[in-house]
Amino acid sequence: MNKGIINIILASFFFSIINALVKYFDRIPALEIVFFRSSVSLILSYFFIRKKSLAVFNPHSKLLFARGLSGAIALSLYFYTIQKIPLATAVTILYLAPIFTIIIGIFLNKESPQKMQWPFIILTFIGTLLMKNFDPRIELIHFFMGLTAAFFAGLAYNIIRMLKGKADHDLIIFYFPLVTIPVISPFVITQWISPTFEELVGLIGIGVLTQIAQIFMTKAYTLEPAAKISHYNYLTSFYAFLTGIIFFDEYLNTVSIIGLIIVFFGIILTSRYAASK
């Protein structure tokens, strides 16, 4: 197993823990969680770029800013949907991001998928629609917010790919909170809820775990083409399914489970043809 795949698997594991914590601390508004997460990440990221003597502003700052902005939009919408709909469903919708990653990659990075990948790309969307249409707990607005989060996550992954060889992975990570904090701060102020000590520790923990996950994820996308590794993100969806049942008593109905399975196998088959390219 190559380093890119190992890194994306580790990233998926840590993101799974983060998802569970976001769901657990649902008393805290999603944007406030994003704010704490980004604040911790900003401090840790700055330490690393200072250690490497990296210049914050460089000829690629526009791309770095675009990566930060797309990531901020994706994360804010994603955390919100996690708190509003079953965890497994929210995570699975977001992890249409690999599909958007492949499609956007055609235009941004000229990394075209195999012809045999397209039927399975379509299959994953069908599976997602099954999950939505037969689960009354999922409102249409939350479903589309999840899809929008997935789109911007796919855009962010492609921008990371565009930055390969142009910006250090620690600088790419640093720009995420650098852009996110000023973008969301006006909204955070209007809905602020003071966290308890337990919640504060949890929010800081989310930030630390995110930093670890971001390092693995960013390394993965700078090591391998998006079409080859993005499907491994779906491990997080499987973890979310188990976590939802064990910790949050969230059981999906039969059709929703079928939809989840269709999505899961659709992305596996998509990746199989990508790997054989």
Side-chain angles (χ1 to χ4, degrees):
M1 187 178 294
N2 65 44
K3 290 182 178 180
I5 293 175
I6 292 173
N7 276 283
I8 201 70
I9 289 175
L10 289 171
S12 296
F13 173 73
F14 283 105
F15 280 127
S16 300
I17 299 174
I18 294 164
N19 293 335
L21 290 173
V22 171
K23 186 77 172 181
Y24 180 73
F25 294 113
D26 60 354
R27 191 183 77 92
I28 304 298
L31 285 179
E32 188 174 336
I33 297 177
V34 173
F35 178 82
F36 272 97
R37 170 203 184 279
S38 300
S39 298
V40 174
S41 182
L42 184 70
I43 294 170
L44 295 175
S45 299
Y46 184 70
F47 170 78
F48 286 116
I49 67 169
R50 280 295 301 271
K51 187 176 180 180
K52 292 184 177 180
S53 299
L54 299 174
V56 174
F57 301 104
N58 58 55
H60 309 293
S61 290
K62 288 183 179 179
L63 267 183
L64 289 164
F65 178 85
R67 184 270 180 269
L69 182 60
S70 56
I73 295 171
L75 185 65
S76 299
L77 292 174
Y78 177 44
F79 277 10
Y80 185 81
T81 57
I82 282 180
Q83 294 185 336
K84 296 299 181 181
I85 64 178
L87 183 60
T89 306
V91 173
T92 301
I93 292 174
L94 175 78
Y95 282 101
L96 280 175
I99 299 300
F100 285 116
T101 300
I102 293 171
I103 295 172
I104 295 171
I106 297 172
F107 304 97
L108 291 187
N109 291 309
K110 312 302 179 185
E111 295 177 349
S112 299
Q114 295 268 43
K115 288 183 179 179
M116 283 302 297
Q117 286 183 279
W118 284 110
F120 303 115
I121 289 174
I122 295 172
L123 185 66
T124 59
F125 278 104
I126 293 173
T128 306
L129 291 175
L130 285 175
M131 292 176 64
K132 157 61 190 97
N133 288 338
F134 293 91
D135 193 332
R137 293 169 295 180
I138 305 174
E139 295 184 15
L140 190 61
I141 182 65
H142 297 146
F143 177 72
F144 281 111
M145 288 175 75
L147 284 181
T148 304
F151 173 83
F152 279 100
L155 177 60
Y157 295 150
N158 271 282
I159 295 173
I160 291 173
R161 186 70 180 157
M162 293 171 69
L163 287 164
K164 179 183 179 181
K166 299 176 181 178
D168 187 272
H169 70 270
D170 282 321
L171 187 60
I172 297 173
I173 294 171
F174 176 71
Y175 260 80
F176 194 169
L178 184 68
V179 175
T180 300
I181 291 174
V183 167
I184 69 170
S185 289
F187 305 100
V188 173
I189 293 172
T190 62
Q191 54 184 276
W192 179 269
I193 293 179
S194 297
T196 64
F197 179 76
E198 179 190 3
E199 289 169 336
L200 181 60
V201 172
L203 293 172
I204 294 173
I206 289 172
V208 174
L209 291 173
T210 297
Q211 184 71 12
I212 296 171
Q214 284 283 337
I215 289 172
F216 285 126
M217 186 272 290
T218 304
K219 283 185 177 180
Y221 279 96
T222 54
L223 287 169
E224 297 290 345
K228 185 175 180 179
I229 63 169
S230 59
H231 56 280
Y232 283 95
N233 285 309
Y234 273 79
L235 288 172
T236 310
S237 185
F238 175 71
Y239 296 146
F241 178 69
L242 296 179
T243 302
I245 293 174
I246 296 171
F247 296 104
F248 302 106
D249 197 31
E250 293 179 344
Y251 291 87
L252 301 181
N253 60 41
T254 302
V255 178
S256 293
I257 292 175
I258 291 173
L260 187 149
I261 293 172
I262 288 174
V263 170
F264 189 73
F265 280 100
I267 201 65
I268 287 177
L269 292 170
T270 301
S271 67
R272 176 171 295 180
Y273 285 102
S276 64
K277 190 172 181 179

